[in-house]
Every structure is written in structure tokens, then in C-alpha cells.
Amino acid sequence: MAVYRRPQLLLLLLPCVCLCGFGSVFGLKAASGPAEPPNPPVLRAADPPVKDAPAAAAAGASQPRRATGWKLSEEEACREDLTRFCPKHTWTNNLAVLECLQDRREETDISPDCNHLLWSYKFNLTTDPKFESVATEVCKSTIAEIKECNEEERGRGYLVSCLVDHRGNISEYQCNQYITKMTSIIFSDYRLICGFLDKCKEDINSLHCGSINVGHKDVHSQGEVIACLEKALVREAEQQDHAHPIKEECQKAILRVAELSSDDFHLDRHLYFSCRDDRERFCQNIQAGEGKVYKCLFNHKFEEAMSEKCRDALTTRQKLISQDYRVSYSLAKACKLDLRKQRCSLDTNLPRAREARLSYLLLCLEAAVHRGRPVSGECQGEMLDYRRMLMEDFSLSPEIVLHCRTEIEAHCSGLHRKGRTLHCLMRMGRGDRSTTVDSVCQSALQTLIQSADPGADYRIDRALNEACESVIQTACKHIRTGDPMILSCLMEHLYTEKMVEDCEHRLLELQYFISRDWKLDPILYKKCQGDAARLCHTHGWNETSELMPPGAVFSCLYRHAYRTEEQGRRVNPAESLSRDCKVEVQRILHQRALDVKLDPELQKRCMTDLGKWCSEKTDTGQELECLQDHLEDLVSACRDVVGNLTELESEDIQIDALLIRACEPVIQAHCHDVADNQIDTGDLMECLVQNKHQKEMNDKCSVGVTHFQLVQMKDFRFSYKFKMSCKEDVLRLCPNIKKKVDVVICLSTTVRNDTLQDAREQRVSLKCRKQLRVEELEMSEDIRLEPELYDPCKSDISRLCPNVNFGNAQMIECLKEQKKQLSQRCHQRIFRLQEVEMSDPELDYQLMRVCKQMIKRFCTEADARNVLQCLKQNKNSELMDPKCKQMITKRQITQNTDYRLNPVLRKACRADIPKFCQSILNKASEDSELEGQVIACLKLKYADQRLSPDCEDQIRVILQESALDYRLDPQLQMHCSDEISRLCVEEAAAQEQTGQVEECLKVNLLKIKQEACKKEVLNMLKESKADIFVDPVLHTACALDLKHHCAAITPGRGRQMSCLMEALQDKRVRLQPECKKRLQDRIDMWSYAAKVAPAEGFSDLAVQVMTSPSKNYILFMIALSVCVLFLVGLLCGRITKRVTRELKDR
């Protein structure tokens, strides 16, 4: 080693080297100029030896001991510059002088002669093979450890090149210092970098990045040459038209230079000089090395105080990193082992160039993290930084710059800081603006989102983080910072009071792209990756299939999540989701229901229909409601998607998050039991419908519940419980019927027919009958839920009931009250509705609602179909609620207008009606009331005592009820309304329902002018003769006398009335004064009635005799007359016979 210990002061002071021999590259004898400057420093073997040369060389920048030999400071060419720029204590150290002059300020120049001297000094050293011996001595153990360097050919500079390549693995302090100082000198001039000029000479010239002539440019401009090539490389990736494509070997050389300079920012001369002041401003306390200064400057890139020149240089550096992750020293070092462990460089299907891309590294390592494989915390931290970097600056993604240039220039220019341009593009991609992005740009955005994976940590998206910081601090403070559930929490608070508008926009823009790739939700992916692979045939996290459209995997998952039965057949458990996965699928569905654009399949298939039908429905949740409202008008593909989503909502209404939020008070008060169930199966919506009119119900909730009920009418599948209960019955009994209302009518008609025909076995299953009852009750609450009723009555509603609410059956009740003014079609529908309600009072929503408590009090044991009958029987109880009593009276009035509305009467008198009242039936139309004509006809026959016992009992009840309240007699009310308002104002106003109005009409019979009314009053008198119970005033007055004198007399057929009349004529019996007076009045009225309305035929005469109080006397006189006539006839016959015989004898 003696040869290396000679006094080579120059080597001691300047341990610099080219990464390979440059003699052949530059051609030192070329005509471009002399290889050595005037009085150049020359290496000669005769120079005196210097002790410890390797140690001194390894010391690098340390102040060397004084020694004899050539010094830069002694050269005339650099003396003046040295005096201006460098402290005097550095003059004795050639390396310190060189560093000082190289790192001077950019705006200051050194003389051309000094610049040339420095260049020749460095270059000549690199051509000396003896220089390599210093590295051999200083890095002896390191070379032995690094196999690649130990095998390098000596004497050509390759050894030092290899050591620079592996400087990250050098543990020896002296060797590390030596190599570090050497690289700082080499990177000051691209011509000193091994092979760089050879590979990039043509590109430098074609791109006009500088001259290759020695000394033509100063050291600063030489840094600009590399910067120029780097920018050209970046620009080439961002443009389709490559005017001057860079050769592949030069591209590799450029990235290799950037990689070698990734350790210390001093080595990137262009960036160093561009950011020197910014480094002092932002990163003063950051020690150079290991890429720390780069990272610090990256973090402050968008600070207002950052100079534009530095920001541009940093952006170029970042773009190089996006092309090759090894350009980032910290990322390459932190993830080196993880890349090897996860085999992220072994994909033979991908070109080698792509494997070095930052996006590929991120995707590969993110896939490992998502699959639960171990990735070091240090590597994950670096990944987080670079994912955030990609989201902050769109220009770092060449695909975005290339494919989205038009959109950026037109709509998003000047917004690139802090991720704003990217979010602007995302907003356009989402369709929130009038213009949209093309498919290539959309694909580039989706790829970037997958690479950055902001779904795993919201902090990656700086724009979102800043916009949502206040919301996170208030609504999501219980969740750990950086947890993926933060995004889920923000979605749960979307459109709530805690949400701010800016956060809402940023969140929806990001969620739009996350929703198109199920893997971008890390929690969903973690819980469902096994299910997706098993059921949906998915690929790995960082693998994609062009055949699988956006959202297809999630659609597959939710179909399996809600699949319980198919055509009555149990689904194979192997085809259903795991419990954890189903919970996550439900969570995502609940969140995505907030906006139709978060459902890729829905937006894709319904784009045309959204524009056609729902262009003005832009408020929260309105678009889906609009599509549901126009379900029949949608194109087939859209109708299927909307139908499937609505079907899912019917099973789990919590998917409609906006409705659930609006209904929170009702749910907490009345439905908390079913709301807590993990599996809904339609129970929650059923509970909300049942409690739709509770005090906790607000307008938003009520409107939402009603809307869903209206949507359910469009297809029976939209009612989950009904579908599951009646699916088989529908297929068997009502095939090809789809609308729910039609299915309900079909099934209920089947049930009714089976019941009426006393079928041995009901065709509709018990399970279906029970649910059918629920559906019928729900439909009775709102006229809009019965389209066959609502459609014919729309005009009547707007004309007669414009200010009446639809709910609580108020609109139906209004139409019933105004039925005389209804159009014919509406009137017919209302009549049919009333007919159904009277036969099944449970379907009478208003009656059941108003009389709910009274039903519990009086009719707990009554059959559901006899509830109204029970209420009527208890109507006059002191405990009866006045409102319920009023409602019962309304229903009685309705029933008495037509016998068909009184099922009990109809059944009891089914033989009597066609026998006695056929003429009335012949004149009547099918769907219009008979205005009490049939019942009036039966009343007259009751008075004539010609009805069957069952029918007579029912007519007696009707007579008794109408005798107390004239409104229950439609014929009397119709013909005598004017007379009542003229003669009986006080009695009618009292509304005591004690028969006072009828009594008034009877008393004022002589004053009645209208013949029709007079006839009705006379009929009333006639009916009262048949039964005292029909005359409530007389019955009340004579109650005690009936008890004393007629207790043994059976009521009916005028028997008790005859008893009282006989008692009145019997002078031995003393009746109560009031009874006596009322009886006398009735006799007078009957006498007048007989005069005014004489018998029209023999039958009427017989009826009058039989119903007369003097019936026995009249019958006796008739019998006596008949006997007298018989005797007279007998006598006359004998005389005639004698006369005839005498004539014959003659």
C-alpha cells in the first residue's frame, strides 16, 4: 500500500470521482479545447508522500492538517472569487474551497477562468485510476460486504459508481462521509455523472437543454441541464404528441440520477438553488440526508410564502417520484423489505416500467394492508404522505394532466392548490355541473382515487380534511383520528344540522368515486372480501376486470345480503353473506341512499329518465322519490333498478336514511323495539304507518311514510311482508297481476267469496289473510293508496275538499259527506267503498280511529265484523264518548240510505225485499243509493205485520233508532227538511236525539204544506200504531203504565199499544196523566190520518182495521153484519124457493 501513501495532497483535499471513466466519453484530446487549464493541477508519482492519506480523504469536509502541495487558493484564476465568497479559514482545504464556490448564490457569478479551472480540476481527477485506490482503502470492509461492488472491474471508476449506488447500505462512518462528499461534487455537473452524457447526449441537443462543451456553461447552468431533461421526461408522460421523445436509456439515466440525488437535496442542484431560501424559511432545523429536506419542502409546497420557482422544482421532483418511487429516498428505504415480502416486483404480466411507478407500489402495498398482511408502520407512514401528495396536486398524475386537460382549462383552472382542481374534476365527473368529463378522464380520476385510497384515511384528501374539520370535531370526535370510520360518520351526518355545506360537497365528490369501487371502502373490503370472492368472483384489491362494470360487486353483495327465499325455496346458506359482511353492506346502503349518484348502476341506467322526469327535483332525496313516482314511465332498465332498490327499502326501510332521520322522534317513542333489530324485514315501516298520526309524528316523516306507501301501491313486491306472506297465493290465484292494489283486490275478493259461499277450505292461506288485513287497513287511511278510488275523484277533491288533508281518512270522509254533489264515477266508487266498510267495519278508518277507546270499552268480545253493530247498541250509554257517538250516527244515516249498506238487514230481509219491494229495485241503478226507499217499503210492511220474523226484528230496530233521530230516516229528511226548518227549528237545533223533531212534525201535521212530507209523517203515525217502541215520546210517557198494566203482553205487532188503548177506555184503570194525554193525542192523530189518507185498497183497509185500537169492536161488528146478511140471505132463499114451486104447480 506504500504507493497510495505518497503525498498526493490533491487526493486528500478532493475525494471526488466520476461514476465511471470519462476519458473515452469526452475524448480528452478532442478539438473542443485543452484537457487541462493553464497551470493545471497534475498528478505525478514523484509527489512527496503524505501520512494517513486514506483517513484524511475519508474525513471529507473536515479541516485538513496543513501540508505541502498544490492549493486552489494559490491559483490566480480563482483568487479574486475566493476572496469574495469564501471565509479565509477554508483556503487551505481544496474541498472546502470547491464546496464554497459551488454553493455560492445563484445570482453571483465567478470568473470564466475560475469556473474552467474548477471543472478541469474535477475532471482530470476522475481520469486518474489511482483515485480509486482511496475508495478501496477507506471502504475496504464495505466493499467486502457488498458483493456487487467487490466484483466490479478496477481502474475504470465502476467501483466508486457501485458504492454510490449502495451508499444507503454503507455503515462505515469514514466510507459514508467519503462517498457523500464525492457525490456532492459529482452532482454539481451532469458531465461528471457516469454514463449520463453518453446516454443523453442526443436528447440534450434535440431538447436544447444546454451545451456539452467543456466550460461552456457554469456549474449552475449544468444543474439546469438535468432539470431541463427531467421536465422534458415529465412533459412527455403528460402529452400524447411526443415531438421529441426521449430515448429509453436516457429516461432510465434521468430517473437514475434523480434516484441517486434522493438522499440529500444538495445533490439536486436545480432544486437546491431554487429552494435555498425556502429551505431556510421552512426547514431550517431539518438536517440534510435521508430525503428529510425534500419531505419538509413537500409539506410546505402550498404555503403562501413558498416561492414559485421552488414550488415548480418540487412539483417536478414529485412527478419523477410518481414515475419511479425510488426517486423518493425515504419511501424506497422504508418500504424496501415490504415490497420484497409482498412480492410487489414479481408481476410478470406488467411491464417493468410500471412496477417502478408510485401508483403500482401504493396499490400493491395497499392491497396487502387491506388483506390484513403485515406492512411496517414506517412504510405505511411514507405511503400516507405520498397518497396525500397525489390528492393535493393533480399534476403529479400524468394521466390526469393528459386526459383531463380540456376540463381543467375550461372549468378548473387556477385551483390546483390543496387538491381543489382534483375536487373540481370530481364534481364534474359526478355530474354536479352542466358539463361532464369524458370517459377517459373519468377513468383517470377513478385510477387516481384507487392509488391514493382516501377511503382508508380521510386525511389523505386535504380538501376534504379542511372542509370537514369542524364537523369531525363535533360529530365524530369519538372516533380515532385517521380511522376509516370517520368517512362513514360524516356520511351519517350528511344533510344534518352538524354538516357544513363545503364539507357536504367535498364528501359527496369523494364518495361518488368510492362508491364505484367497493374495494375503496376498507371496512367493507375487509369484512366482505371472502364473500365477494366466493359469491361474486372478484379479483384482488389491485387487480381490475374490464368486464365488471362499476358497482357490480357491491350490487352482487347486496343481492345476497337480502336474499331470504326464492319462489318458496330456502336459499343455500353457502350463497348467503356472512353476518359481518351483511352489516357492512347495510351500512353502505343506508349511506348511499342519500344520493342517487352514489349508486353507479342507478345513475348509469337512469340518466335519461332523471333528465326527462326529474330535472327540477334537485333537493335532498327528491331524485329517487321522483323516479319512484314515475316508475311506470321509466325505461325498462331504469325501472328494474329503481324497482329492486324500492324492494330493498321495503325490507329494510333504514336504507332510506333521510326518512329515518325525519322519523327519529316517532321511532324513539313507538318503534324503538323493531328499530333495534339488526334484520328489519319490514317491521319498522309497518310500525311507522301504524303510528303515522301520533303527536310525535312531524310533517317530514308523515310525508315520507305516505310517499313510500304510495310507491308500494305500484308493485306488491315493494311491500316486503306482504310479498313474503302472499307470494305463493299471488302466483296461484292472481297470476300476471303486478300492482299491489290489484293484488289486494284479487285476494280480498277471493277471501270474501270463499266466506260467503261457506267454502270448506279458504283458498288464501292464513298467513296471507292476516297480512292482507294489514294492507287493507293501511290502504283505508289515505285515498291516494286506493288508485281506483282516487283517480275518478280527483276533480271532486279539488272542487269540494280543497283544504282537507289526505291522511287519517279525512279526504274520504269529506267525499262521503259531499256525496250528493259528487260526479257519477266518484259517487259510484264511494258507494262501493261504503258497502265494503259496512260489511267490514275494521276497514272504516275514521270509525276505528274515533271510537278506538269505546271499542275497547264496549266491544272487546265482539267479532271484528260486528263492531259497528256493537257500537250502535251502546250508542246511548252514558259512558259513550260524544265524538264516537256522532261518528256512529253518521254511519247509521249512511246505512239507512240503502239496505245494501246494512249487511245485517240485507241478510235478515233477503226474502222480504224482492217480495215486497221489487218495483223499487227495478228502477234502481247498481252503484247509487236508493235513498231509503227499500227500507221505507219494509217499514210499511212492518206496520202491516207482513214481514218475516228476522226482517221484522231488524226493521223494528231501525224504526226505534229513526224515531229518536229524524236524520236516520232519509225519506223523512229529504221530504221534510224545509218543514222542519220552518216548524221545528228549536227541536232540530237541540240535537237531543229524543224524538222531539218527529213529535213536532206530528203535532204540526195540519200545518204541513208539502204533501210528500205530510205523507211521511202519516206513515210515521201508521208505523207507531204497530209498536209503541217506535213512538219514543209516547213510550217514555207511558213507561210506568206499560209496566203495571201490560207487563204480560209480548211487545210487537201493536199488542202493547192495544193494551194501553183498552186501559184508556176502561174506566176502572187509572193511567198516568201524561200517558193519558199522549194517548188521546195519538187517537186524534190517527183519526185525522184515517181521514186524510183513506185506505187505497182492501189490503190497506184490512191493515187499518187490524192495527186499530178498536180492532175487537170493529171485528165484532163486521162479524155481526156478516151473520145478519147470512140470515137474510137464508130467509130470502126459502121464500124464493116456495114461490118457484107454486109456479111449477100451476
Side-chain angles (χ1 to χ4, degrees), residues 538-553:
T538 57
H539 298 265
W541 196 92
N542 58 332
E543 300 169 20
T544 56
S545 171
E546 300 299 330
L547 300 176
M548 194 168 285
V553 176

mmCIF file of all heavy atoms in Angstrom, residues 538-553:
data_model
loop_
_atom_site.group_PDB
_atom_site.id
_atom_site.type_symbol
_atom_site.label_atom_id
_atom_site.label_comp_id
_atom_site.label_asym_id
_atom_site.label_seq_id
_atom_site.Cartn_x
_atom_site.Cartn_y
_atom_site.Cartn_z
ATOM 1 N N THR A 538 -64.641 -12.103 -7.524
ATOM 2 C CA THR A 538 -63.855 -10.864 -7.627
ATOM 3 C C THR A 538 -62.374 -11.174 -7.767
ATOM 4 O O THR A 538 -61.910 -12.275 -7.472
ATOM 5 C CB THR A 538 -64.054 -9.988 -6.393
ATOM 6 O OG1 THR A 538 -63.685 -10.744 -5.227
ATOM 7 C CG2 THR A 538 -65.483 -9.554 -6.266
ATOM 8 N N HIS A 539 -61.629 -10.149 -8.180
ATOM 9 C CA HIS A 539 -60.175 -10.236 -8.275
ATOM 10 C C HIS A 539 -59.576 -9.620 -7.028
ATOM 11 O O HIS A 539 -60.264 -9.163 -6.134
ATOM 12 C CB HIS A 539 -59.685 -9.495 -9.528
ATOM 13 C CG HIS A 539 -60.213 -10.082 -10.795
ATOM 14 N ND1 HIS A 539 -59.523 -11.001 -11.536
ATOM 15 C CD2 HIS A 539 -61.392 -9.889 -11.442
ATOM 16 C CE1 HIS A 539 -60.225 -11.347 -12.595
ATOM 17 N NE2 HIS A 539 -61.369 -10.678 -12.579
ATOM 18 N N GLY A 540 -58.245 -9.574 -6.998
ATOM 19 C CA GLY A 540 -57.555 -8.980 -5.850
ATOM 20 C C GLY A 540 -57.755 -7.490 -5.781
ATOM 21 O O GLY A 540 -58.293 -6.868 -6.703
ATOM 22 N N TRP A 541 -57.253 -6.894 -4.705
ATOM 23 C CA TRP A 541 -57.517 -5.467 -4.458
ATOM 24 C C TRP A 541 -56.961 -4.587 -5.565
ATOM 25 O O TRP A 541 -57.601 -3.640 -6.002
ATOM 26 C CB TRP A 541 -56.898 -5.065 -3.117
ATOM 27 C CG TRP A 541 -57.431 -3.769 -2.610
ATOM 28 C CD1 TRP A 541 -58.488 -3.580 -1.779
ATOM 29 C CD2 TRP A 541 -56.947 -2.446 -2.925
ATOM 30 N NE1 TRP A 541 -58.694 -2.244 -1.563
ATOM 31 C CE2 TRP A 541 -57.771 -1.532 -2.246
ATOM 32 C CE3 TRP A 541 -55.915 -1.957 -3.722
ATOM 33 C CZ2 TRP A 541 -57.578 -0.164 -2.321
ATOM 34 C CZ3 TRP A 541 -55.732 -0.588 -3.804
ATOM 35 C CH2 TRP A 541 -56.561 0.293 -3.110
ATOM 36 N N ASN A 542 -55.741 -4.902 -6.024
ATOM 37 C CA ASN A 542 -55.117 -4.033 -7.034
ATOM 38 C C ASN A 542 -55.261 -4.606 -8.439
ATOM 39 O O ASN A 542 -54.563 -4.228 -9.351
ATOM 40 C CB ASN A 542 -53.630 -3.821 -6.718
ATOM 41 C CG ASN A 542 -52.875 -5.138 -6.662
ATOM 42 O OD1 ASN A 542 -53.465 -6.157 -6.344
ATOM 43 N ND2 ASN A 542 -51.582 -5.116 -6.957
ATOM 44 N N GLU A 543 -56.204 -5.554 -8.590
ATOM 45 C CA GLU A 543 -56.487 -6.103 -9.907
ATOM 46 C C GLU A 543 -57.877 -5.654 -10.336
ATOM 47 O O GLU A 543 -58.780 -5.545 -9.524
ATOM 48 C CB GLU A 543 -56.432 -7.629 -9.879
ATOM 49 C CG GLU A 543 -55.081 -8.176 -9.445
ATOM 50 C CD GLU A 543 -55.142 -9.657 -9.169
ATOM 51 O OE1 GLU A 543 -56.077 -10.312 -9.652
ATOM 52 O OE2 GLU A 543 -54.266 -10.161 -8.451
ATOM 53 N N THR A 544 -58.021 -5.402 -11.618
ATOM 54 C CA THR A 544 -59.321 -4.955 -12.113
ATOM 55 C C THR A 544 -59.748 -5.831 -13.283
ATOM 56 O O THR A 544 -58.928 -6.465 -13.932
ATOM 57 C CB THR A 544 -59.253 -3.486 -12.595
ATOM 58 O OG1 THR A 544 -58.227 -3.376 -13.601
ATOM 59 C CG2 THR A 544 -58.933 -2.561 -11.456
ATOM 60 N N SER A 545 -61.031 -5.851 -13.523
ATOM 61 C CA SER A 545 -61.576 -6.592 -14.655
ATOM 62 C C SER A 545 -62.374 -5.631 -15.512
ATOM 63 O O SER A 545 -63.296 -4.974 -15.035
ATOM 64 C CB SER A 545 -62.475 -7.730 -14.163
ATOM 65 O OG SER A 545 -63.161 -8.310 -15.250
ATOM 66 N N GLU A 546 -62.007 -5.540 -16.767
ATOM 67 C CA GLU A 546 -62.713 -4.629 -17.666
ATOM 68 C C GLU A 546 -64.163 -5.081 -17.892
ATOM 69 O O GLU A 546 -65.012 -4.304 -18.273
ATOM 70 C CB GLU A 546 -61.972 -4.563 -19.011
ATOM 71 C CG GLU A 546 -60.539 -4.060 -18.904
ATOM 72 C CD GLU A 546 -60.458 -2.641 -18.359
ATOM 73 O OE1 GLU A 546 -61.395 -1.872 -18.584
ATOM 74 O OE2 GLU A 546 -59.460 -2.317 -17.695
ATOM 75 N N LEU A 547 -64.415 -6.371 -17.661
ATOM 76 C CA LEU A 547 -65.755 -6.895 -17.891
ATOM 77 C C LEU A 547 -66.711 -6.571 -16.755
ATOM 78 O O LEU A 547 -67.917 -6.751 -16.875
ATOM 79 C CB LEU A 547 -65.684 -8.414 -18.089
ATOM 80 C CG LEU A 547 -64.826 -8.895 -19.273
ATOM 81 C CD1 LEU A 547 -64.762 -10.420 -19.284
ATOM 82 C CD2 LEU A 547 -65.370 -8.368 -20.590
ATOM 83 N N MET A 548 -66.177 -6.136 -15.629
ATOM 84 C CA MET A 548 -67.019 -5.888 -14.460
ATOM 85 C C MET A 548 -67.305 -4.391 -14.333
ATOM 86 O O MET A 548 -66.404 -3.610 -14.046
ATOM 87 C CB MET A 548 -66.321 -6.409 -13.198
ATOM 88 C CG MET A 548 -67.241 -6.509 -12.009
ATOM 89 S SD MET A 548 -66.483 -7.455 -10.654
ATOM 90 C CE MET A 548 -66.614 -9.112 -11.287
ATOM 91 N N PRO A 549 -68.528 -3.958 -14.569
ATOM 92 C CA PRO A 549 -68.842 -2.521 -14.533
ATOM 93 C C PRO A 549 -68.750 -1.967 -13.118
ATOM 94 O O PRO A 549 -68.780 -2.721 -12.138
ATOM 95 C CB PRO A 549 -70.281 -2.463 -15.059
ATOM 96 C CG PRO A 549 -70.838 -3.817 -14.780
ATOM 97 C CD PRO A 549 -69.688 -4.782 -14.881
ATOM 98 N N PRO A 550 -68.671 -0.631 -12.983
ATOM 99 C CA PRO A 550 -68.600 -0.009 -11.651
ATOM 100 C C PRO A 550 -69.805 -0.378 -10.793
ATOM 101 O O PRO A 550 -70.942 -0.370 -11.269
ATOM 102 C CB PRO A 550 -68.589 1.497 -11.974
ATOM 103 C CG PRO A 550 -68.098 1.589 -13.367
ATOM 104 C CD PRO A 550 -68.567 0.359 -14.062
ATOM 105 N N GLY A 551 -69.552 -0.724 -9.575
ATOM 106 C CA GLY A 551 -70.640 -1.030 -8.653
ATOM 107 C C GLY A 551 -71.179 -2.435 -8.764
ATOM 108 O O GLY A 551 -72.077 -2.825 -8.011
ATOM 109 N N ALA A 552 -70.638 -3.247 -9.712
ATOM 110 C CA ALA A 552 -71.203 -4.581 -9.929
ATOM 111 C C ALA A 552 -70.994 -5.489 -8.722
ATOM 112 O O ALA A 552 -71.887 -6.265 -8.355
ATOM 113 C CB ALA A 552 -70.572 -5.206 -11.170
ATOM 114 N N VAL A 553 -69.821 -5.400 -8.108
ATOM 115 C CA VAL A 553 -69.532 -6.271 -6.972
ATOM 116 C C VAL A 553 -70.452 -5.944 -5.800
ATOM 117 O O VAL A 553 -71.018 -6.841 -5.165
ATOM 118 C CB VAL A 553 -68.053 -6.148 -6.543
ATOM 119 C CG1 VAL A 553 -67.790 -6.991 -5.296
ATOM 120 C CG2 VAL A 553 -67.135 -6.590 -7.664
#
